[in-house]
């Protein structure tokens, strides 16, 4: 009698159950020490299959270039040859000396009068003027509180051979009218006349006597400015030649300054004198060099007659006499 006849549930045709490779072996199925564990049974506790051990790839290492010794590396001036190093060192020394001399000259120029500035005053002025001139009036403890207007008049020869003297033209007022409302005023409108008068005052004494060559240069400078501006006012011309014919010719000019104190603010108790002070310079004869600056003013005199009328209206006593 076989197993079927004995009441067993197993049948000859049923296949044997296959073991689950992911199932952990039962305690009684753990192999003995020294036994081999099937590959399918190598699982981790969390159910992940371990990665197979693969050999790491080998890459060829780049060639190592030996760095040069630190003693052979040169930077800065040391990278130059000895001849250029000497030249660069000499240039640096010269630049440092010039910078020190310039700083010393500027300091002596702006510093209060002292023994050194009195002894070397001429050398300091020759170094500073005109390129490095310093103006510290704005930063002074007591800045300027005066309005200074430059005015001029001319002695002209008329077409019939007579002479007459014009009234005073307020040239500063004309510059102020051109600057007012102008977003980009020119350097000539802002500074030419003002700096020319400052140059004249600093180069002359109270009796209008020039202080050497600078005084003579300041006279020629402001005289030419006045001749050039007066030739555009009221039909005057420096050489007498215009497109319309013979016009009054400027023979001599005279300049003066009108100084008035700035009125204090309403909240101040300060009292100032509002009476203007005048400083007149002697008459200057117009030279050929002064006339050359206005060689083309005759053709423009008629077109600028309106500007001459506005300047005469702003002047102080512009009636011809």
């Amino acid at each position: 009698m076989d197993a079927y006849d004995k009441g067993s549930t197993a049948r000859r045709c049923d296949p044997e159950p296959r073991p689950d490779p992911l199932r952990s072996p039962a305690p009684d199925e753990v192999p003995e020490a020294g036994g081999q564990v099937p590959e399918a049974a190598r699982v981790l506790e969390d159910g992940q299959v371990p990665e197979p051990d693969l050999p790491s790839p080998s890459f060829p290492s780049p060639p190592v270039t030996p760095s040069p010794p630190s003693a052979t590396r040169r930077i800065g001036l040391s990278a130059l040859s000895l001849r250029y190093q000497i030249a660069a060192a000499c240039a640096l020394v010269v630049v440092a000396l010039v910078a020190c001399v310039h700083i010393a000259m500027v300091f002596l120029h702006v510093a209060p009068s002292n023994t050194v500035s009195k002894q070397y005053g001429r050398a300091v002025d020759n170094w500073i003027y005109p390129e490095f001139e310093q103006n510290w009036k704005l930063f002074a403890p007591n800045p300027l509180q005066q309005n200074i207007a430059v005015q001029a008049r001319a002695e002209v020869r008329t077409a019939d051979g007579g002479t007459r003297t014009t009234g005073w033209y307020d040239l500063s007022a004309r510059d102020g009218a051109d600057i007012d409302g102008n977003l980009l005023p020119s350097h000539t409108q802002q500074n030419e006349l003002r700096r020319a008068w400052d140059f004249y005052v600093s180069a002359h004494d109270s009796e209008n006597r020039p202080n050497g060559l600078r005084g003579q240069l300041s006279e020629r400078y402001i005289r030419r400015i006045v001749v050039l501006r007066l030739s555009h006012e009221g039909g005057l011309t420096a050489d007498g030649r215009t497109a319309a014919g013979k016009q009054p010719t400027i023979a001599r000019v005279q300049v003066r300054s009108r100084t008035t104190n700035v009125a204090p603010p309403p909240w101040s108790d300060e009292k100032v004198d509002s009476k203007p002070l005048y400083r007149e310079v002697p008459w200057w004869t117009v030279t050929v060099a002064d006339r050359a600056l206005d060689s083309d003013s005759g053709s423009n005199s008629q077109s600028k007659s309106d500007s001459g009328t506005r300047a005469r209206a702003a002047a102080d006593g512009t009636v011809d006499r």
Side-chain angles (χ1 to χ4, degrees):
M1 183 179 292
D2 54 10
Y4 181 79
D5 294 336
K6 293 181 179 181
S8 173
T9 59
R11 296 180 181 274
R12 296 180 178 178
C13 60
D14 294 340
E16 296 180 0
R18 298 180 179 179
D20 189 359
L22 301 180
R23 184 179 62 83
S24 300
D28 55 349
E29 298 179 359
V30 176
E32 298 179 358
Q36 295 182 358
V37 180
E39 187 68 24
R42 294 181 180 178
V43 295
L44 301 178
E45 295 297 333
D46 55 357
Q48 295 182 358
V49 180
E51 296 181 358
D53 296 335
L54 299 177
S56 59
S58 60
F59 298 98
S61 59
V64 178
T65 303
S67 60
S70 58
T72 60
R73 278 189 255 172
R74 295 182 177 181
I75 57 175
L77 294 178
S78 61
L80 303 176
S81 61
L82 179 60
R83 179 176 57 182
Y84 289 104
Q85 289 181 7
I86 296 175
C90 293
L92 291 177
V93 171
V94 171
V95 171
L97 290 177
V98 172
C100 293
V101 171
H102 178 71
I103 294 175
M105 291 294 186
V106 173
F107 174 77
L108 293 176
H109 176 69
V110 300
S113 180
N114 53 73
T115 305
V116 179
S117 61
K118 290 178 181 179
Q119 184 175 358
Y120 300 101
R122 183 177 296 274
V124 172
D125 291 342
N126 292 336
W127 180 277
I128 294 297
Y129 294 105
E131 289 84 4
F132 308 113
E133 181 182 1
Q134 303 291 318
N135 189 348
W136 295 84
K137 295 179 181 178
L138 179 62
F139 305 99
N142 187 19
L144 292 178
Q145 299 179 2
Q146 296 174 330
N147 289 324
I148 302 176
V150 179
Q151 302 173 350
R153 63 178 178 176
E155 184 181 277
V156 299
R157 291 192 298 268
T158 58
D160 56 1
T163 60
R164 67 181 178 91
T165 303
T166 67
W168 289 100
Y169 291 88
D170 196 335
L171 305 181
S172 297
R174 174 61 184 275
D175 285 346
D178 293 338
I179 295 174
D180 189 18
N182 188 357
L183 296 178
L184 298 173
S186 66
H187 178 76
T188 302
Q189 295 170 341
Q190 297 180 86
N191 301 319
E192 182 185 54
L193 184 63
R194 177 180 61 86
R195 297 301 301 273
W197 181 252
D198 290 343
F199 183 25
Y200 175 85
V201 172
S202 62
H204 289 74
D205 58 14
S206 59
E207 300 297 329
N208 294 316
R209 291 187 294 248
N211 299 328
L213 182 60
R214 285 178 52 81
Q216 300 174 9
L217 179 62
S218 65
E219 290 181 7
R220 293 196 300 268
Y221 182 47
I222 195 169
R223 184 175 68 244
R224 294 181 181 183
I225 293 176
V226 170
V227 170
L228 184 61
R229 296 200 179 191
L230 289 183
S231 62
H232 297 159
E233 308 292 346
L236 302 180
T237 181
D239 55 6
R241 297 187 302 272
T242 64
K246 201 74 173 178
Q247 295 292 331
T249 305
I250 300 176
R252 297 194 305 169
V253 294
Q254 187 180 25
V255 184
R256 75 176 182 182
S257 65
R258 182 177 185 268
T259 304
T260 55
N261 293 320
V262 177
W267 47 263
S268 177
D269 296 334
E270 184 181 0
K271 303 297 182 180
V272 297
D273 188 6
S274 60
K275 182 180 179 180
L277 299 177
Y278 294 92
R279 175 177 177 174
E280 293 186 3
V281 302
W283 284 92
W284 291 328
T285 301
V286 179
T287 62
V288 177
D290 301 332
R291 302 177 193 277
L293 297 175
D294 196 50
S295 59
D296 61 340
S297 64
S299 58
N300 300 328
S301 59
Q302 294 297 329
S303 62
K304 296 184 178 180
S305 59
D306 294 340
S307 63
T309 304
R310 292 196 301 269
R312 293 172 65 86
D316 178 22
T318 57
V319 179
D320 295 350
R321 62 179 181 176

